[in-house]
Amino acid sequence: MKVLFKIIILMSFAYSSSLSFNGFGVENTRIDPAANGLGNSILFSGRPDGVVQSAMSTLHKSLLTKIHIANNFNQLSVLDVTNSMHAISSIDFSFPFRKTHSISIGLSPKTRTDFNISQPQFEFISGGEESDPIAMKHSYNYSGGISNLYVGLSSGYIDNVDIGLKWNILFGNLFADITTNTYTFNYNGNNCISDADGSYANDACIGSNPSSSSILNNTYNFNGHSFTFDGRSEIDSHEIAVSISIDGPLTVVKSIVNNSLSGEDDLESIDKFSIGNFSCGYKFESQVGSGVIMELQKNLSTYNTFSNQLFQTNEPSSISIHGGVYRQFESSRMGFWNYLTLRGGFMLKQINYDAYSVQDNAVTIGFGLKFLNNTNEIDISLSSGIRRTEDEIYPDEKYINVNFGISSGDTWFKKIRRK
């Protein structure tokens, strides 16, 4: 199956990235476009108030009740074939209480899969005295993934120390449909001309329409949870931040339907807790509103004991270095806009599979605008990069990601004094 996966990826017209593909799809990390503009950071955003949607410890810094929506446009080019996808990345609702605390509720994909691939060449089964030869082709259709519904608490109760805790509820379905078309040989066809030695070119003799088809529908159902802890400390112009996620029990039920006939359900589960992701970073911000960040991210493969993963490709581990700079411009007079933020950065990432590794390098730029008395914000980021590996069977992947997010806030639960 792994060999088949390598072959069909090269000829597919619509697919997800094969060089960042984990066991149940492609990981979704683009929750905050402002942080994406800083080299795909998850700990820093460069915002004037310091809020980072992907870091729970910062949400209490805003005194507004806010709703945040982010979406992503992705364009992937492999062997001069380009595929594009546009999808929502996250929806988040947060509100403060007791001045130094905030509660957040949100929904985002943890993994996402949406592609179609077709086998480029026929497979042949030779005939005999009592049976004719047949040819087969397979096509694959994948959609869905793991969703993440989260509830979080942010607190700045301790001076110069911010902490955040997020409970992630993992659920969802992934659909994998495999269609097998069977073709017979027609040696009397116009294209079926024998060679000089009396042999035939098999592809030319195959009937144009399949003689039979079979459909195998696989459905993966997910149920589990994880926790994310993050904290940061700020002294003068310096800030240090740390984040760690703990993957908890996860259950996967695989249901099989073959030509509309139900098969057996296959149940697999992991009951232990393990470290899933770890990140640490440093930020320096000057008094004039400019800053620089450096960040290290490490992703550990915690679900590799599952045998039922797509194409038997286990979740990879990865390590990456992220850097970025930003500059804030404050409006000198009252008006429509309040702050303008420009961002730029880079990412150097290595993705480690069982048999090979992938280098994923990218540069990023970003733009942010706060307006209407600092209650609303628009953030846009662009990431351009290339993934490559020493395994010659995998071609280089060039990609462009455009992330757009909008936040809108208001003051709720405000106490009004009555005389």
Side-chain angles (χ1 to χ4, degrees):
M1 180 62 78
K2 289 185 178 180
V3 175
L4 176 61
F5 174 61
K6 292 181 179 180
I7 294 174
I8 58 183
I9 280 295
L10 299 181
M11 299 297 294
S12 58
F13 289 93
Y15 44 79
S16 297
S17 165
S18 61
L19 297 184
S20 62
F21 194 89
N22 67 22
F24 296 116
V26 177
E27 195 82 16
N28 174 47
T29 58
R30 307 187 185 281
I31 295 177
D32 189 348
N36 296 146
L38 289 176
N40 292 324
S41 169
I42 63 173
L43 296 175
F44 306 105
S45 67
R47 289 190 176 95
D49 57 7
V51 171
V52 190
Q53 293 297 141
S54 53
M56 187 61 60
S57 61
T58 65
L59 297 188
H60 73 275
K61 294 183 178 182
S62 174
L63 300 180
L64 300 175
T65 299
K66 302 183 72 173
I67 184 170
H68 173 82
I69 300 176
N71 59 73
N72 168 260
F73 172 81
N74 177 57
Q75 179 175 287
L76 178 69
S77 299
V78 182
L79 296 177
D80 297 325
V81 178
T82 301
N83 181 49
S84 301
M85 183 177 69
H86 179 228
I88 292 178
S89 300
S90 67
I91 300 175
D92 182 270
F93 173 76
S94 61
F95 59 91
F97 67 98
R98 293 189 177 180
K99 295 184 179 181
T100 58
H101 301 79
S102 178
I103 292 178
S104 179
I105 302 173
L107 179 66
S108 68
K110 178 177 174 60
T111 65
R112 176 182 284 145
T113 303
D114 185 13
F115 64 96
N116 301 276
I117 53 179
S118 298
Q119 189 175 351
Q121 298 178 347
F122 288 96
E123 293 181 16
F124 299 100
I125 299 179
S126 59
E129 295 181 355
E130 299 180 356
S131 62
D132 295 327
I134 60 175
M136 295 186 302
K137 264 191 177 183
H138 306 279
S139 61
Y140 305 82
N141 181 23
Y142 293 90
S143 61
I146 305 176
S147 298
N148 177 19
L149 173 65
Y150 56 87
V151 179
L153 172 66
S154 176
S155 176
Y157 183 77
I158 304 174
D159 291 341
N160 298 323
V161 176
D162 303 316
I163 57 175
L165 170 63
K166 183 166 65 173
W167 175 33
N168 306 294
I169 304 171
L170 308 178
F171 66 98
N173 294 300
L174 191 155
F175 304 96
D177 300 331
I178 303 174
T179 302
T180 301
N181 292 321
T182 304
Y183 300 80
T184 58
F185 286 77
N186 180 13
Y187 292 103
N188 296 321
N190 295 330
N191 295 327
C192 191
I193 303 174
S194 61
D195 296 331
D197 59 358
S199 62
Y200 293 87
N202 286 330
D203 288 14
C205 299
I206 296 174
S208 58
N209 297 316
S211 59
S212 64
S213 298
S214 64
I215 301 177
L216 183 66
N217 304 111
N218 299 319
T219 301
Y220 301 80
N221 177 262
F222 305 96
N223 186 9
H225 60 269
S226 65
F227 299 92
T228 303
F229 306 88
D230 71 293
R232 62 191 62 227
S233 178
E234 183 176 359
I235 301 177
D236 296 329
S237 301
H238 307 275
E239 184 174 342
I240 297 176
V242 177
S243 175
I244 185 171
S245 67
I246 307 297
D247 291 334
L250 179 68
T251 300
V252 180
V253 178
K254 181 181 179 181
S255 302
I256 303 174
V257 177
N258 194 347
N259 287 344
S260 301
L261 298 177
S262 298
E264 296 182 358
D265 291 344
D266 189 3
L267 172 65
E268 287 190 288
S269 62
I270 291 180
D271 298 325
K272 63 181 181 180
F273 289 86
S274 58
I275 297 176
N277 298 280
F278 173 79
S279 303
C280 61
Y282 167 77
K283 181 184 78 172
F284 173 81
E285 182 173 298
S286 67
Q287 299 296 326
V288 295
S290 60
V292 58
I293 68 106
M294 288 295 295
E295 187 174 323
L296 174 69
Q297 299 178 14
K298 186 171 181 61
N299 177 42
L300 303 175
S301 51
T302 57
Y303 297 140
N304 279 350
T305 57
F306 287 115
S307 60
N308 284 323
Q309 301 194 49
L310 298 182
F311 297 112
Q312 299 178 6
T313 303
N314 289 337
E315 181 186 9
S317 61
S318 66
I319 186 169
S320 55
I321 297 176
H322 308 254
V325 295
Y326 62 89
R327 179 71 166 90
Q328 301 165 0
F329 300 91
E330 185 177 6
S331 177
S332 59
R333 57 184 178 180
M334 296 294 294
F336 174 75
W337 70 279
N338 306 107
Y339 279 95
L340 170 67
T341 305
L342 302 179
R343 306 175 178 95
F346 69 91
M347 179 187 72
L348 304 175
K349 185 175 185 179
Q350 179 171 302
I351 307 172
N352 298 311
Y353 289 86
D354 293 337
Y356 61 94
S357 62
V358 178
Q359 297 295 325
D360 184 356
N361 301 328
V363 293
T364 67
I365 58 174
F367 162 88
L369 182 69
K370 300 196 74 170
F371 56 95
L372 294 181
N373 198 26
N374 288 311
T375 58
N376 298 275
E377 182 177 2
I378 292 176
D379 290 292
I380 301 174
S381 68
L382 183 146
S383 175
S384 177
I386 182 171
R387 302 186 188 98
R388 53 165 53 103
T389 178
E390 295 180 354
D391 194 331
E392 295 181 355
I393 200 168
Y394 289 103
D396 292 347
E397 297 181 353
K398 298 179 181 179
Y399 63 88
I400 294 176
N401 290 317
V402 179
N403 301 280
F404 174 81
I406 183 168
S407 300
S408 182
D410 198 356
T411 302
W412 289 11
F413 316 117
K414 186 176 181 180
K415 293 182 178 180
I416 300 177
R417 286 190 172 184
R418 298 180 182 273
K419 293 184 179 180

